[in-house]
């Protein structure tokens, strides 16, 4: 059995590339986390999905470049690729996304307020047509009084 150093070098290089790619993918999960910061169950599902993506990436890396054998140096390589992405291109990517977000926030906020106003107006008119809940109150009240009158109280 000979050691193929070319495959080890390719595995090291591709593990760095995979780490950078996973960092890029995680940026989208970070963006989606900002849309629903209080929905912990949804964040958990997204994190599990990211873990599955990482697992599939690592399996493909090992099966294609080391014949299914896990090589330890690939794990720090992926972590290093992720860290390199995070502190270089990831930082630039986040700045661009924040700039887009700042530009889109006022119109989206206006549209969101308009839609909320229309929906609340519709709900209020629906409730007004049905007595704003007073009808059930008066029904209970008259039923209570009727039962008191029948019992002689």
């Amino acid at each position: 059995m000979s050691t193929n150093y070319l495959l080890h070098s390719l595995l090291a290089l591709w593990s760095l590339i995979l780490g950078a790619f996973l960092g890029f993918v995680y940026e989208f999960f970070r963006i989606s986390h900002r849309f629903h910061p209080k929905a912990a169950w949804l964040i958990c599902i997204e994190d599990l999905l990211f873990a599955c993506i990482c697992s599939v990436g690592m399996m493909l890396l090992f099966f294609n470049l080391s014949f299914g054998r896990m090589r330890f140096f690939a794990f720090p390589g992926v972590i290093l690729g992720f860290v390199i992405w995070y502190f270089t291109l990831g930082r630039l990517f986040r700045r661009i996304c924040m700039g887009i977000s700042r530009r889109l926030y006022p119109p989206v906020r206006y549209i969101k307020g308009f839609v909320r106003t229309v929906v609340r107006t519709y709900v209020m008119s629906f409730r007004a047509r049905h007595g704003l809940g007073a009808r059930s109150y008066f029904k209970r009240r008259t039923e209570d009084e009727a039962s008191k009158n029948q019992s002689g109280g």
Side-chain angles (χ1 to χ4, degrees):
M1 278 183 81
S2 64
T3 303
N4 191 346
Y5 292 108
L6 177 63
L7 282 179
H8 287 298
S9 301
L10 284 174
L11 181 63
L13 175 68
W14 277 102
S15 65
L16 288 171
I17 292 170
L18 177 65
F21 174 74
L22 291 175
F24 175 71
V25 169
Y26 192 70
E27 294 295 333
F28 293 103
F29 284 103
R30 288 181 54 171
I31 291 169
S32 70
H33 290 341
R34 289 182 182 230
F35 290 129
H36 47 77
K38 294 182 181 176
W41 62 273
L42 192 55
I43 291 173
C44 180
I45 290 172
E46 290 172 352
D47 287 344
L48 288 173
L49 179 63
F50 180 70
C52 290
I53 292 170
C54 291
S55 299
V56 168
M58 292 299 286
M59 283 192 297
L60 289 174
L61 187 71
F62 287 130
F63 283 127
N64 289 327
L65 293 173
S66 65
F67 304 109
R69 293 184 181 153
M70 289 185 165
R71 303 290 182 197
F72 177 74
F73 62 87
F75 292 102
V78 170
I79 293 169
L80 183 64
F82 191 94
V83 168
I84 289 171
W85 164 266
Y86 186 82
F87 288 111
T88 56
L89 293 174
R91 185 174 285 173
L92 177 66
F93 184 78
R94 284 187 297 277
R95 283 185 182 168
I96 291 170
C97 287
M98 289 304 291
I100 291 171
S101 174
R102 272 189 238 112
R103 294 198 192 289
L104 289 179
Y105 184 70
V108 169
R109 186 175 168 196
Y110 174 76
I111 292 169
K112 188 177 173 183
F114 178 76
V115 169
R116 184 180 292 151
T117 303
V118 169
V119 168
R120 287 184 178 173
T121 304
Y122 175 75
V123 168
M124 192 62 129
S125 66
F126 181 78
R127 285 182 180 170
R129 272 186 255 136
H130 297 301
L132 295 171
R135 186 178 293 169
S136 63
Y137 172 77
F138 286 122
K139 264 187 186 177
R140 260 185 285 142
R141 193 87 159 143
T142 55
E143 288 172 1
D144 290 343
E145 289 174 2
S147 65
K148 284 182 184 178
N149 288 340
Q150 286 177 356
S151 63

